[in-house]
């Protein structure tokens, strides 16, 4: 499967169905919603797959992109894709491991302006990861988090200080966008 991101740049993908890239329709919709947020932002891509969302963010001027993925091969692919797109003034980091554990390490750093979370739709990661993001204060005060999920699955309206500010559905895919309730 061929994936192209901002500027018509091709990305390397993985064979098989273990990694499901975010569709171009959903990517375009998210970046349309976040069009004024991405340039200069700190981007966190959770369950990053081949890094399409982070690559798109880098292409649109994110200053930092951090990707978290469990698969060794996927991490290598993300590094390859991001290094091809990033400019020398952009910082890219790819962290391998269980997203719940990696978040604990990230909690010691600066918060992120944009967080994209796209776990396998049937996983049990949604609540534990969203709870950790809230507890560790990984979302910047004016930041937003987009959780991609199956349209047939409901995500809560609020998790700690994270509160849904928008919901969108694109066929069988849905996005719940959270912000900090105290960051209005």
């Amino acid at each position: 499967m061929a994936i192209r991101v901002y500027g018509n740049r091709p990305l390397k993908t993985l064979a098989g169905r273990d990694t499901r890239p975010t569709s171009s329709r959903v990517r375009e919709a998210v970046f349309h919603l976040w069009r004024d947020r991405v340039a200069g932002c700190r981007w966190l891509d959770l369950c990053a797959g081949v890094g399409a969302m982070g690559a798109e963010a880098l292409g649109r001027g994110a200053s930092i992109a951090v990707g978290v993925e469990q698969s060794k091969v996927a991490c290598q692919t993300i590094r390859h894709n991001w290094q091809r797109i990033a400019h020398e003034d952009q910082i890219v980091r790819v962290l391998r491991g269980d997203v719940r554990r990696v978040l604990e390490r990230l909690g010691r750093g600066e918060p992120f302006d944009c967080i994209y979370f796209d776990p396998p739709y049937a996983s049990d990661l949604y609540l534990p990861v969203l709870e950790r993001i809230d507890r560790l204060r990984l979302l910047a005060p004016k930041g937003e988090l987009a959780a991609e999920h199956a349209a047939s699955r409901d995500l809560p309206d609020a998790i700690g200080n994270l509160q849904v500010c928008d919901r969108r559905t694109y066929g069988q895919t849905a996005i719940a966008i959270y912000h900090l309730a105290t960051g209005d």
Side-chain angles (χ1 to χ4, degrees), residues 102-153:
V102 174
L103 286 176
E104 297 292 334
R105 289 188 302 187
L106 290 173
R108 296 187 288 264
E110 287 185 53
F112 293 88
D113 305 300
C114 296
I115 300 175
Y116 198 80
F117 177 40
D118 180 15
Y121 288 175
S123 78
D124 62 353
L125 290 174
Y126 287 97
L127 290 179
V129 167
L130 293 171
E131 287 168 350
R132 275 183 178 83
I133 289 168
D134 178 54
R135 178 177 51 82
L136 296 168
R137 298 182 177 161
L138 288 171
L139 186 62
K142 300 286 183 188
E144 287 188 351
L145 177 155
E148 181 178 327
H149 60 96
S152 60
R153 180 181 200 145

Side-chain angles (χ1 to χ4, degrees), residues 32-84:
H32 177 74
L33 290 170
W34 284 356
R35 66 187 166 275
D36 297 329
R37 294 182 171 277
V38 177
C41 82
R42 293 177 49 82
W43 180 275
L44 178 59
D45 197 347
L46 300 174
C47 302
V50 298
M53 294 300 284
E56 190 88 35
L58 288 165
R60 293 172 185 260
S63 63
I64 296 171
V66 176
V68 178
E69 180 54 56
Q70 194 160 5
S71 161
K72 179 180 180 179
V73 174
C75 285
Q76 293 167 342
T77 303
I78 296 166
R79 279 188 197 94
H80 170 82
N81 286 334
W82 288 8
Q83 288 170 353
R84 289 183 66 212

